[in-house]
Amino acid sequence: MAQTIRTASRHTFQFALAAAVIASIAGCGNNYRPVVTAISPVGPAAQPQKFAVAISSTGTPTNPTAGLLTFVDFSGDTILITANVGVNPYYLILNNSTVTSTGAATTATTGFTLNSDRTFSSFDIDTTLLTSQVLQSTLPPNACPLAIFPEGLSTYVTNSATNPGPCASTTGGPNAIFQFAGSPLNLQQQLVVDPAFSPIYTVGVVGAPRVFAISQSNTGGLGQVNTIETASNTVDPIAIPVGHGPVYGIMTGDASSAAKRAFILNQTDGTVTVINAQTNLLDNVPAGATNPIVVGTNPLWADAAPVRNEIVVANAGDGTTPGSVSIISVPLCSATAQPNNPNCDLNSPVDAIGFGQVLANVSVGINPVMVAVLQDTTNSRAYVVNSGNRSIPCAAPTAALPLGNCTVSVINLATNTVTATIPIPQATIVGITPNINGHPNYIAASSGTPTGKVYVTSPESNFMTVIRTDTDAVDTTIPLQGNGVSVRVTAP
Protein backbone atom coordinates (compact mmCIF):
# COMPACT_ATOMS: atom_id res chain seq x y z
CA MET A 1 0.00 0.00 0.00
CA ALA A 2 1.13 3.54 -0.63
CA GLN A 3 2.33 5.54 2.32
CA THR A 4 -0.21 8.24 3.09
CA ILE A 5 0.77 11.88 3.46
CA ARG A 6 -1.61 14.21 5.21
CA THR A 7 -1.15 17.74 3.96
CA ALA A 8 -3.38 20.60 5.02
CA SER A 9 -4.90 22.54 2.16
CA ARG A 10 -3.96 26.19 1.92
CA HIS A 11 -7.39 27.08 0.74
CA THR A 12 -10.84 26.43 2.21
CA PHE A 13 -13.50 25.66 -0.30
CA GLN A 14 -17.05 26.73 0.55
CA PHE A 15 -20.17 25.91 -1.36
CA ALA A 16 -23.57 27.61 -1.23
CA LEU A 17 -26.95 26.55 -2.61
CA ALA A 18 -29.89 28.91 -2.93
CA ALA A 19 -33.45 28.49 -4.28
CA ALA A 20 -36.47 30.79 -4.63
CA VAL A 21 -40.02 29.46 -4.21
CA ILE A 22 -42.78 31.22 -6.12
CA ALA A 23 -46.42 30.41 -5.40
CA SER A 24 -49.39 31.51 -7.46
CA ILE A 25 -53.15 31.11 -7.22
CA ALA A 26 -55.07 30.31 -10.40
CA GLY A 27 -58.53 30.98 -8.95
CA CYS A 28 -60.82 30.29 -6.01
CA GLY A 29 -60.45 26.81 -4.58
CA ASN A 30 -57.23 26.09 -6.45
CA ASN A 31 -54.27 24.71 -4.45
CA TYR A 32 -50.94 26.47 -4.11
CA ARG A 33 -48.51 25.26 -6.78
CA PRO A 34 -44.94 25.93 -5.63
CA VAL A 35 -42.25 26.28 -8.31
CA VAL A 36 -38.56 25.86 -7.38
CA THR A 37 -36.01 27.72 -9.54
CA ALA A 38 -32.27 27.18 -9.08
CA ILE A 39 -30.09 30.27 -9.01
CA SER A 40 -27.04 29.98 -11.22
CA PRO A 41 -23.75 29.96 -9.32
CA VAL A 42 -21.89 33.24 -9.26
CA GLY A 43 -18.14 33.57 -9.80
CA PRO A 44 -15.49 32.23 -12.15
CA ALA A 45 -15.79 28.74 -13.57
CA ALA A 46 -13.75 26.07 -11.82
CA GLN A 47 -10.45 25.16 -13.44
CA PRO A 48 -10.24 21.69 -14.95
CA GLN A 49 -8.59 19.21 -12.61
CA LYS A 50 -4.99 18.55 -13.51
CA PHE A 51 -1.90 17.46 -11.65
CA ALA A 52 1.83 17.54 -11.43
CA VAL A 53 3.15 13.98 -11.29
CA ALA A 54 6.58 13.56 -9.69
CA ILE A 55 8.77 10.57 -8.98
CA SER A 56 11.41 10.42 -6.29
CA SER A 57 14.05 7.94 -5.26
CA THR A 58 13.94 6.97 -1.60
CA GLY A 59 16.90 4.59 -1.58
CA THR A 60 20.63 4.66 -2.29
CA PRO A 61 22.85 2.58 -4.61
CA THR A 62 23.86 0.44 -1.64
CA ASN A 63 20.35 0.32 -0.16
CA PRO A 64 17.87 0.38 -3.06
CA THR A 65 14.21 0.80 -2.19
CA ALA A 66 10.95 1.31 -4.07
CA GLY A 67 10.55 4.73 -5.66
CA LEU A 68 7.65 7.01 -4.84
CA LEU A 69 5.04 8.48 -7.15
CA THR A 70 3.42 11.75 -5.97
CA PHE A 71 0.35 13.48 -7.44
CA VAL A 72 0.12 17.21 -6.64
CA ASP A 73 -3.10 19.16 -7.26
CA PHE A 74 -2.56 22.05 -9.68
CA SER A 75 -4.96 24.48 -8.02
CA GLY A 76 -4.22 23.76 -4.36
CA ASP A 77 -0.57 22.64 -4.32
CA THR A 78 -1.60 19.73 -2.12
CA ILE A 79 -0.46 16.12 -2.25
CA LEU A 80 -3.38 13.98 -3.38
CA ILE A 81 -1.87 10.49 -3.39
CA THR A 82 1.42 8.67 -3.20
CA ALA A 83 2.16 5.18 -4.51
CA ASN A 84 5.24 3.01 -4.93
CA VAL A 85 6.79 2.16 -8.28
CA GLY A 86 9.92 0.09 -9.02
CA VAL A 87 13.26 0.41 -7.27
CA ASN A 88 15.10 3.72 -7.76
CA PRO A 89 13.11 5.00 -10.77
CA TYR A 90 15.09 7.09 -13.26
CA TYR A 91 12.63 7.98 -16.04
CA LEU A 92 9.03 9.24 -16.09
CA ILE A 93 6.69 10.05 -18.96
CA LEU A 94 2.92 10.52 -19.33
CA ASN A 95 0.83 9.67 -22.38
CA ASN A 96 0.06 13.28 -23.23
CA SER A 97 1.72 15.77 -25.51
CA THR A 98 1.81 19.51 -26.12
CA VAL A 99 0.33 18.69 -29.51
CA THR A 100 -1.09 15.63 -31.22
CA SER A 101 -1.02 14.76 -34.90
CA THR A 102 -4.02 17.08 -35.34
CA GLY A 103 -2.41 19.96 -33.47
CA ALA A 104 -4.49 19.68 -30.29
CA ALA A 105 -3.21 19.34 -26.74
CA THR A 106 -4.07 16.19 -24.80
CA THR A 107 -4.60 15.33 -21.16
CA ALA A 108 -2.68 12.41 -19.71
CA THR A 109 -4.48 9.30 -18.55
CA THR A 110 -1.51 6.97 -18.00
CA GLY A 111 2.05 7.27 -16.72
CA PHE A 112 5.15 5.13 -17.12
CA THR A 113 8.44 4.78 -15.24
CA LEU A 114 11.71 2.98 -15.89
CA ASN A 115 13.31 1.60 -12.75
CA SER A 116 16.86 0.64 -11.77
CA ASP A 117 15.77 -2.92 -10.92
CA ARG A 118 15.13 -3.28 -14.69
CA THR A 119 11.37 -3.12 -14.38
CA PHE A 120 8.90 -1.06 -16.37
CA SER A 121 5.93 0.39 -14.42
CA SER A 122 2.65 1.81 -15.72
CA PHE A 123 -0.16 3.45 -13.77
CA ASP A 124 -3.45 5.28 -14.27
CA ILE A 125 -3.66 9.03 -13.62
CA ASP A 126 -6.22 8.60 -10.87
CA THR A 127 -6.43 10.19 -7.43
CA THR A 128 -7.57 6.86 -5.95
CA LEU A 129 -4.47 5.03 -7.24
CA LEU A 130 -3.01 2.41 -4.91
CA THR A 131 0.39 0.78 -5.03
CA SER A 132 -1.31 -2.53 -5.77
CA GLN A 133 -2.72 -1.00 -8.97
CA VAL A 134 0.69 -0.01 -10.36
CA LEU A 135 1.44 -2.53 -13.10
CA GLN A 136 4.83 -4.06 -13.85
CA SER A 137 5.86 -5.24 -17.31
CA THR A 138 8.66 -7.65 -18.13
CA LEU A 139 11.64 -6.39 -20.11
CA PRO A 140 13.94 -8.58 -22.20
CA PRO A 141 16.99 -10.04 -20.35
CA ASN A 142 19.69 -7.50 -19.43
CA ALA A 143 17.58 -4.61 -20.75
CA CYS A 144 18.06 -1.24 -19.07
CA PRO A 145 16.13 1.18 -21.33
CA LEU A 146 16.91 4.86 -21.77
CA ALA A 147 13.52 6.28 -22.74
CA ILE A 148 9.82 5.59 -23.33
CA PHE A 149 7.46 7.03 -25.92
CA PRO A 150 3.73 6.20 -25.56
CA GLU A 151 2.37 6.78 -29.07
CA GLY A 152 -1.17 5.55 -28.53
CA LEU A 153 -1.85 1.90 -29.33
CA SER A 154 1.86 1.14 -28.98
CA THR A 155 4.43 2.18 -26.40
CA TYR A 156 8.02 2.28 -27.64
CA VAL A 157 10.91 1.65 -25.23
CA THR A 158 14.44 2.60 -26.33
CA ASN A 159 17.24 0.23 -25.31
CA SER A 160 20.95 0.26 -26.14
CA ALA A 161 23.42 -2.63 -26.11
CA THR A 162 26.36 -0.31 -25.48
CA ASN A 163 24.83 2.40 -23.28
CA PRO A 164 23.44 0.76 -20.13
CA GLY A 165 22.29 4.06 -18.63
CA PRO A 166 21.83 3.84 -14.85
CA CYS A 167 22.34 0.07 -14.86
CA ALA A 168 26.13 0.27 -14.82
CA SER A 169 26.61 -3.47 -14.40
CA THR A 170 24.51 -4.30 -17.44
CA THR A 171 25.87 -4.50 -20.98
CA GLY A 172 24.99 -6.52 -24.02
CA GLY A 173 21.22 -6.10 -23.83
CA PRO A 174 19.19 -5.90 -27.04
CA ASN A 175 20.06 -3.02 -29.37
CA ALA A 176 16.47 -2.31 -30.22
CA ILE A 177 13.25 -0.39 -29.80
CA PHE A 178 10.81 -2.54 -27.83
CA GLN A 179 7.19 -2.32 -28.93
CA PHE A 180 4.71 -2.86 -26.09
CA ALA A 181 0.91 -2.99 -26.31
CA GLY A 182 -2.10 -4.07 -24.27
CA SER A 183 -2.96 -3.69 -20.59
CA PRO A 184 -0.89 -4.56 -18.73
CA LEU A 185 1.73 -3.78 -21.35
CA ASN A 186 3.21 -6.83 -23.03
CA LEU A 187 6.23 -6.99 -25.30
CA GLN A 188 5.10 -7.44 -28.91
CA GLN A 189 8.42 -7.35 -30.74
CA GLN A 190 11.94 -5.93 -30.77
CA LEU A 191 12.66 -3.52 -33.63
CA VAL A 192 16.39 -4.12 -34.06
CA VAL A 193 18.78 -1.20 -34.64
CA ASP A 194 22.08 -1.49 -36.53
CA PRO A 195 24.70 -2.64 -33.94
CA ALA A 196 27.07 0.07 -35.20
CA PHE A 197 24.70 2.57 -33.57
CA SER A 198 23.36 3.06 -30.05
CA PRO A 199 19.67 3.98 -29.69
CA ILE A 200 19.18 6.96 -27.37
CA TYR A 201 15.61 8.28 -27.75
CA THR A 202 12.36 7.83 -29.71
CA VAL A 203 10.48 10.97 -30.74
CA GLY A 204 6.95 11.46 -32.01
CA VAL A 205 3.53 12.85 -31.19
CA VAL A 206 0.40 10.97 -30.17
CA GLY A 207 -1.44 9.55 -33.16
CA ALA A 208 1.31 10.31 -35.71
CA PRO A 209 1.75 7.84 -38.60
CA ARG A 210 5.51 7.80 -38.01
CA VAL A 211 7.85 8.05 -35.05
CA PHE A 212 11.63 8.33 -35.16
CA ALA A 213 14.24 6.34 -33.22
CA ILE A 214 17.41 8.40 -32.67
CA SER A 215 20.77 6.62 -32.46
CA GLN A 216 24.37 7.69 -31.90
CA SER A 217 27.31 6.23 -33.82
CA ASN A 218 29.48 3.93 -31.73
CA THR A 219 32.59 5.22 -33.53
CA GLY A 220 31.93 8.96 -33.25
CA GLY A 221 30.50 9.39 -36.73
CA LEU A 222 27.18 10.88 -37.77
CA GLY A 223 24.14 9.71 -35.91
CA GLN A 224 21.06 8.31 -37.59
CA VAL A 225 17.30 8.13 -37.29
CA ASN A 226 15.24 5.01 -38.00
CA THR A 227 11.64 5.58 -39.04
CA ILE A 228 8.97 3.40 -37.41
CA GLU A 229 5.63 3.18 -39.23
CA THR A 230 3.11 3.10 -36.38
CA ALA A 231 0.31 1.36 -38.31
CA SER A 232 2.43 -1.68 -39.17
CA ASN A 233 5.17 -1.30 -36.54
CA THR A 234 7.84 -1.83 -39.15
CA VAL A 235 11.15 -0.03 -39.58
CA ASP A 236 12.07 1.76 -42.80
CA PRO A 237 15.19 -0.02 -44.12
CA ILE A 238 16.89 3.26 -45.07
CA ALA A 239 18.09 5.28 -42.06
CA ILE A 240 18.18 9.09 -42.14
CA PRO A 241 21.60 10.63 -41.31
CA VAL A 242 21.69 13.40 -38.71
CA GLY A 243 24.52 15.19 -36.86
CA HIS A 244 27.14 13.97 -34.43
CA GLY A 245 25.99 12.97 -30.95
CA PRO A 246 22.18 13.26 -31.30
CA VAL A 247 20.54 13.16 -27.87
CA TYR A 248 16.93 14.35 -28.09
CA GLY A 249 14.16 15.38 -30.44
CA ILE A 250 10.73 16.92 -30.67
CA MET A 251 8.09 16.56 -33.34
CA THR A 252 5.92 19.47 -34.29
CA GLY A 253 5.10 21.74 -37.18
CA ASP A 254 2.79 24.63 -36.60
CA ALA A 255 -0.39 25.19 -34.62
CA SER A 256 -2.49 23.27 -37.15
CA SER A 257 -0.14 20.56 -38.39
CA ALA A 258 1.76 18.95 -35.57
CA ALA A 259 3.07 15.77 -37.14
CA LYS A 260 4.87 17.32 -40.10
CA ARG A 261 8.46 17.92 -38.93
CA ALA A 262 10.86 16.24 -36.51
CA PHE A 263 13.71 18.23 -34.94
CA ILE A 264 16.76 16.25 -33.79
CA LEU A 265 19.24 17.86 -31.36
CA ASN A 266 22.86 17.03 -32.16
CA GLN A 267 24.80 17.71 -28.96
CA THR A 268 28.32 17.29 -30.36
CA ASP A 269 27.75 19.51 -33.39
CA GLY A 270 25.61 22.17 -31.71
CA THR A 271 22.96 21.81 -34.42
CA VAL A 272 19.35 20.77 -35.00
CA THR A 273 18.55 18.46 -37.93
CA VAL A 274 15.07 18.84 -39.48
CA ILE A 275 13.27 15.80 -40.91
CA ASN A 276 10.17 16.12 -43.09
CA ALA A 277 7.93 13.52 -41.46
CA GLN A 278 5.70 13.32 -44.53
CA THR A 279 8.42 12.56 -47.07
CA ASN A 280 10.59 10.70 -44.56
CA LEU A 281 13.61 12.65 -45.79
CA LEU A 282 15.79 15.50 -44.59
CA ASP A 283 13.73 18.67 -44.89
CA ASN A 284 14.24 20.90 -47.91
CA VAL A 285 14.38 24.25 -46.09
CA PRO A 286 13.76 27.64 -47.76
CA ALA A 287 16.51 29.75 -49.28
CA GLY A 288 18.56 31.46 -46.60
CA ALA A 289 18.07 28.66 -44.07
CA THR A 290 20.31 25.67 -43.43
CA ASN A 291 19.65 22.08 -42.43
CA PRO A 292 21.00 21.33 -39.90
CA ILE A 293 20.29 24.58 -38.07
CA VAL A 294 23.21 25.95 -36.04
CA VAL A 295 22.31 26.67 -32.40
CA GLY A 296 24.50 26.93 -29.28
CA THR A 297 27.03 24.68 -27.53
CA ASN A 298 25.73 21.33 -26.25
CA PRO A 299 22.01 21.45 -27.10
CA LEU A 300 20.28 19.00 -24.74
CA TRP A 301 16.55 19.71 -24.71
CA ALA A 302 13.83 21.48 -26.67
CA ASP A 303 10.17 22.35 -26.34
CA ALA A 304 7.60 23.64 -28.80
CA ALA A 305 5.74 26.95 -28.77
CA PRO A 306 3.05 25.95 -31.30
CA VAL A 307 1.00 29.14 -31.02
CA ARG A 308 4.12 31.04 -32.11
CA ASN A 309 5.36 28.47 -34.67
CA GLU A 310 8.65 28.27 -32.80
CA ILE A 311 10.82 25.74 -31.03
CA VAL A 312 12.98 26.62 -28.03
CA VAL A 313 16.33 24.83 -27.56
CA ALA A 314 18.34 24.73 -24.31
CA ASN A 315 22.12 24.80 -24.93
CA ALA A 316 24.01 23.70 -21.81
CA GLY A 317 27.31 25.34 -22.77
CA ASP A 318 30.42 24.24 -20.89
CA GLY A 319 28.66 23.75 -17.54
CA THR A 320 30.59 26.47 -15.70
CA THR A 321 29.63 29.64 -17.58
CA PRO A 322 26.23 30.91 -18.77
CA GLY A 323 24.53 28.76 -21.38
CA SER A 324 21.98 29.91 -23.91
CA VAL A 325 18.57 29.28 -25.40
CA SER A 326 18.04 29.30 -29.17
CA ILE A 327 14.60 30.34 -30.43
CA ILE A 328 13.88 29.01 -33.94
CA SER A 329 11.03 29.99 -36.26
CA VAL A 330 9.38 26.91 -37.83
CA PRO A 331 6.19 28.03 -39.70
CA LEU A 332 4.73 25.90 -42.47
CA CYS A 333 2.70 27.28 -45.36
CA SER A 334 -0.88 27.79 -44.23
CA ALA A 335 -3.87 30.02 -44.75
CA THR A 336 -2.38 32.48 -42.25
CA ALA A 337 1.35 32.11 -42.95
CA GLN A 338 1.07 32.33 -46.75
CA PRO A 339 -2.50 33.36 -47.68
CA ASN A 340 -1.61 34.21 -51.27
CA ASN A 341 0.39 31.08 -52.05
CA PRO A 342 -1.65 28.98 -54.52
CA ASN A 343 0.88 26.15 -54.23
CA CYS A 344 0.37 25.70 -50.48
CA ASP A 345 -1.01 22.21 -49.92
CA LEU A 346 -2.40 22.22 -46.40
CA ASN A 347 -2.29 18.41 -46.33
CA SER A 348 1.41 18.39 -47.16
CA PRO A 349 2.67 21.88 -46.37
CA VAL A 350 6.09 23.14 -47.38
CA ASP A 351 8.19 25.32 -45.11
CA ALA A 352 7.03 28.93 -45.01
CA ILE A 353 9.35 31.89 -45.42
CA GLY A 354 11.40 32.26 -42.26
CA PHE A 355 11.41 28.54 -41.44
CA GLY A 356 14.71 27.58 -39.80
CA GLN A 357 15.66 31.13 -38.87
CA VAL A 358 17.23 31.47 -35.43
CA LEU A 359 15.35 34.45 -34.05
CA ALA A 360 17.58 34.84 -30.99
CA ASN A 361 20.25 33.18 -28.90
CA VAL A 362 19.38 34.27 -25.37
CA SER A 363 21.98 34.06 -22.60
CA VAL A 364 20.60 32.37 -19.47
CA GLY A 365 22.07 30.82 -16.31
CA ILE A 366 24.83 28.29 -15.83
CA ASN A 367 24.30 24.83 -17.35
CA PRO A 368 20.73 25.08 -18.71
CA VAL A 369 19.63 21.46 -19.10
CA MET A 370 15.91 21.70 -19.81
CA VAL A 371 13.25 24.14 -21.00
CA ALA A 372 9.46 24.14 -20.65
CA VAL A 373 7.26 26.48 -22.68
CA LEU A 374 4.16 27.88 -21.00
CA GLN A 375 1.43 27.28 -23.59
CA ASP A 376 -0.27 30.65 -23.11
CA THR A 377 -1.77 32.21 -26.24
CA THR A 378 -1.38 35.78 -24.96
CA ASN A 379 1.85 35.63 -22.98
CA SER A 380 4.09 32.77 -24.12
CA ARG A 381 7.15 32.28 -21.97
CA ALA A 382 9.93 29.74 -21.73
CA TYR A 383 11.11 28.56 -18.31
CA VAL A 384 14.70 27.30 -18.34
CA VAL A 385 16.14 25.21 -15.51
CA ASN A 386 19.80 26.10 -14.96
CA SER A 387 21.39 23.17 -13.16
CA GLY A 388 24.40 25.28 -12.21
CA ASN A 389 28.07 24.49 -11.84
CA ARG A 390 28.06 20.99 -10.36
CA SER A 391 31.41 21.56 -8.62
CA ILE A 392 30.07 24.31 -6.33
CA PRO A 393 26.97 24.49 -4.09
CA CYS A 394 23.75 26.11 -5.21
CA ALA A 395 23.50 29.77 -4.25
CA ALA A 396 21.35 32.83 -4.86
CA PRO A 397 22.75 35.59 -7.12
CA THR A 398 25.58 37.63 -5.60
CA ALA A 399 27.95 40.32 -6.85
CA ALA A 400 30.57 37.64 -7.55
CA LEU A 401 28.01 35.30 -9.14
CA PRO A 402 25.34 37.61 -10.58
CA LEU A 403 23.34 34.79 -12.18
CA GLY A 404 23.48 32.65 -9.07
CA ASN A 405 24.02 28.89 -9.20
CA CYS A 406 20.87 26.77 -9.63
CA THR A 407 18.15 29.05 -10.97
CA VAL A 408 15.21 29.25 -13.37
CA SER A 409 15.40 31.81 -16.19
CA VAL A 410 12.15 33.21 -17.61
CA ILE A 411 12.18 34.23 -21.28
CA ASN A 412 9.43 36.35 -22.82
CA LEU A 413 8.97 34.82 -26.27
CA ALA A 414 7.46 38.01 -27.67
CA THR A 415 10.65 39.98 -26.98
CA ASN A 416 13.12 37.08 -26.67
CA THR A 417 14.55 38.56 -23.48
CA VAL A 418 15.05 37.24 -19.95
CA THR A 419 12.47 38.88 -17.70
CA ALA A 420 13.28 37.11 -14.44
CA THR A 421 15.90 34.88 -12.82
CA ILE A 422 14.41 32.82 -10.01
CA PRO A 423 16.75 31.23 -7.42
CA ILE A 424 15.80 27.73 -6.31
CA PRO A 425 14.82 27.93 -2.60
CA GLN A 426 17.57 27.50 -0.02
CA ALA A 427 15.31 27.31 3.04
CA THR A 428 14.55 23.99 4.72
CA ILE A 429 11.12 22.48 5.16
CA VAL A 430 10.06 22.03 8.79
CA GLY A 431 9.81 18.38 9.74
CA ILE A 432 11.73 17.01 6.77
CA THR A 433 15.21 15.58 7.47
CA PRO A 434 17.65 15.64 5.82
CA ASN A 435 16.84 18.71 3.77
CA ILE A 436 19.40 19.79 1.19
CA ASN A 437 19.05 22.06 -1.79
CA GLY A 438 20.45 20.57 -4.96
CA HIS A 439 21.23 21.25 -8.57
CA PRO A 440 17.87 21.16 -10.39
CA ASN A 441 17.49 18.89 -13.40
CA TYR A 442 13.83 18.74 -14.41
CA ILE A 443 11.11 21.27 -15.13
CA ALA A 444 7.48 21.16 -16.28
CA ALA A 445 4.96 23.96 -16.92
CA SER A 446 1.18 24.13 -17.06
CA SER A 447 -0.92 27.17 -17.95
CA GLY A 448 -3.94 28.40 -15.98
CA THR A 449 -6.04 31.34 -14.81
CA PRO A 450 -5.25 33.45 -12.82
CA THR A 451 -1.85 31.72 -12.80
CA GLY A 452 -0.01 28.84 -14.36
CA LYS A 453 2.48 26.72 -12.44
CA VAL A 454 6.07 25.64 -13.06
CA TYR A 455 7.47 22.61 -11.21
CA VAL A 456 11.17 21.94 -10.58
CA THR A 457 12.87 18.85 -9.13
CA SER A 458 16.46 18.03 -8.20
CA PRO A 459 18.19 14.68 -7.59
CA GLU A 460 19.85 16.24 -4.52
CA SER A 461 16.68 17.66 -2.95
CA ASN A 462 13.74 15.99 -1.24
CA PHE A 463 11.22 18.64 -2.23
CA MET A 464 9.72 20.02 -5.42
CA THR A 465 9.68 23.77 -6.07
CA VAL A 466 6.46 25.39 -7.38
CA ILE A 467 6.64 28.72 -9.24
CA ARG A 468 3.63 30.93 -10.02
CA THR A 469 3.63 32.30 -13.55
CA ASP A 470 1.62 35.46 -12.78
CA THR A 471 4.42 36.72 -10.53
CA ASP A 472 7.31 34.54 -11.73
CA ALA A 473 8.23 33.86 -8.13
CA VAL A 474 8.42 30.76 -5.94
CA ASP A 475 5.00 29.93 -4.53
CA THR A 476 5.77 26.94 -2.31
CA THR A 477 7.70 23.70 -1.99
CA ILE A 478 6.23 20.19 -1.91
CA PRO A 479 7.89 17.41 0.14
CA LEU A 480 8.65 14.30 -1.94
CA GLN A 481 9.94 11.91 0.76
CA GLY A 482 12.93 11.21 -1.44
CA ASN A 483 15.27 12.84 -3.90
CA GLY A 484 13.48 14.28 -6.93
CA VAL A 485 13.96 12.44 -10.22
CA SER A 486 11.44 13.93 -12.62
CA VAL A 487 8.15 15.79 -12.87
CA ARG A 488 5.51 15.93 -15.61
CA VAL A 489 2.13 17.67 -15.89
CA THR A 490 -1.07 16.01 -17.00
CA ALA A 491 -2.06 18.96 -19.23
CA PRO A 492 0.04 21.83 -20.68
Side-chain angles (χ1 to χ4, degrees):
M1 297 291 290
Q3 184 179 359
T4 302
I5 300 177
R6 302 182 183 274
T7 305
S9 171
R10 299 186 300 109
H11 305 283
T12 302
F13 295 93
Q14 297 179 333
F15 298 89
L17 176 67
V21 180
I22 304 174
S24 61
I25 302 175
C28 181
N30 284 1
N31 295 326
Y32 288 103
R33 302 177 64 187
V35 178
V36 179
T37 303
I39 298 176
S40 299
V42 177
Q47 294 198 52
Q49 192 174 31
K50 54 185 177 179
F51 319 108
V53 179
I55 54 170
S56 54
S57 179
T58 59
T60 64
T62 56
N63 182 31
T65 59
L68 195 68
L69 179 71
T70 303
F71 285 14
V72 177
D73 180 49
F74 172 84
S75 59
D77 295 333
T78 54
I79 295 177
L80 301 175
I81 65 101
T82 60
N84 291 123
V85 290
V87 170
N88 288 358
Y90 58 88
Y91 190 91
L92 167 70
I93 196 168
L94 310 183
N95 69 336
N96 65 336
S97 175
T98 301
V99 286
T100 65
S101 59
T102 59
T106 59
T107 299
T109 58
T110 309
F112 310 85
T113 68
L114 294 172
N115 313 303
S116 297
D117 58 357
R118 304 188 188 96
T119 60
F120 174 27
S121 303
S122 58
F123 55 90
D124 290 336
I125 307 296
D126 189 331
T127 56
T128 64
L129 180 71
L130 302 174
T131 294
S132 59
Q133 296 168 326
V134 176
L135 304 178
Q136 304 290 342
S137 297
T138 302
L139 292 166
N142 294 327
C144 186
L146 301 176
I148 307 171
F149 174 63
E151 178 275 331
L153 295 178
S154 293
T155 296
Y156 300 100
V157 179
T158 306
N159 195 79
S160 169
T162 57
N163 183 351
C167 307
S169 61
T170 300
T171 57
N175 207 58
I177 308 301
F178 306 147
Q179 181 219 347
F180 283 82
S183 181
L185 290 170
N186 291 300
L187 180 65
Q188 305 298 304
Q189 63 176 324
Q190 298 181 30
L191 304 172
V192 177
V193 174
D194 184 340
F197 292 84
S198 178
I200 192 78
Y201 191 78
T202 301
V203 57
V205 295
V206 176
R210 290 170 172 157
V211 298
F212 299 93
I214 305 168
S215 297
Q216 299 176 346
S217 168
N218 292 333
T219 59
L222 292 175
Q224 71 173 24
V225 166
N226 295 101
T227 304
I228 301 172
E229 304 290 343
T230 58
S232 60
N233 281 300
T234 56
V235 178
D236 191 299
I238 301 176
I240 302 171
V242 293
H244 294 86
V247 290
Y248 187 69
I250 62 172
M251 192 170 174
T252 182
D254 61 16
S256 63
S257 54
K260 304 298 191 277
R261 303 291 185 271
F263 300 87
I264 313 301
L265 277 61
N266 306 304
Q267 181 182 6
T268 305
D269 289 347
T271 62
V272 175
T273 298
V274 186
I275 296 172
N276 186 322
Q278 297 169 290
T279 64
N280 203 30
L281 298 169
L282 292 174
D283 192 35
N284 186 18
V285 297
T290 62
N291 187 12
I293 302 165
V294 177
V295 288
T297 302
N298 286 328
L300 293 179
W301 197 272
D303 198 7
V307 298
R308 299 188 59 83
N309 295 328
E310 295 171 357
I311 64 169
V312 183
V313 180
N315 308 302
D318 63 8
T320 60
T321 57
S324 67
V325 166
S326 299
I327 300 164
I328 306 171
S329 178
V330 292
L332 303 180
C333 75
S334 66
T336 55
Q338 291 180 307
N340 299 317
N341 182 357
N343 298 317
C344 183
D345 180 357
L346 298 182
N347 294 318
S348 182
V350 298
D351 299 342
I353 301 300
F355 185 100
Q357 178 184 355
V358 177
L359 302 175
N361 286 305
V362 183
S363 180
V364 290
I366 298 170
N367 199 15
V369 294
M370 193 172 183
V371 58
V373 172
L374 186 70
Q375 306 296 330
D376 190 324
T377 57
T378 60
N379 189 12
S380 293
R381 279 160 287 169
Y383 289 80
V384 185
V385 64
N386 304 304
S387 191
N389 185 337
R390 302 294 179 88
S391 65
I392 61 176
C394 293
T398 63
L401 199 65
L403 292 177
N405 199 43
C406 311
T407 60
V408 171
S409 300
V410 185
I411 299 174
N412 183 323
L413 294 180
T415 61
N416 294 332
T417 57
V418 174
T419 56
T421 299
I422 307 167
I424 297 300
Q426 305 291 306
T428 59
I429 305 172
V430 176
I432 301 295
T433 303
N435 193 297
I436 56 173
N437 183 74
H439 300 80
N441 70 332
Y442 227 93
I443 191 167
S446 186
S447 61
T449 302
T451 182
K453 299 284 178 70
V454 175
Y455 304 91
V456 182
T457 60
S458 165
E460 300 167 2
S461 298
N462 53 20
F463 61 86
M464 178 169 67
T465 300
V466 183
I467 296 169
R468 287 178 63 103
T469 63
D470 57 345
T471 60
D472 283 337
V474 172
D475 179 34
T476 189
T477 54
I478 307 292
L480 295 179
Q481 298 188 77
N483 291 347
V485 174
S486 178
V487 60
R488 302 277 187 170
V489 290
T490 58

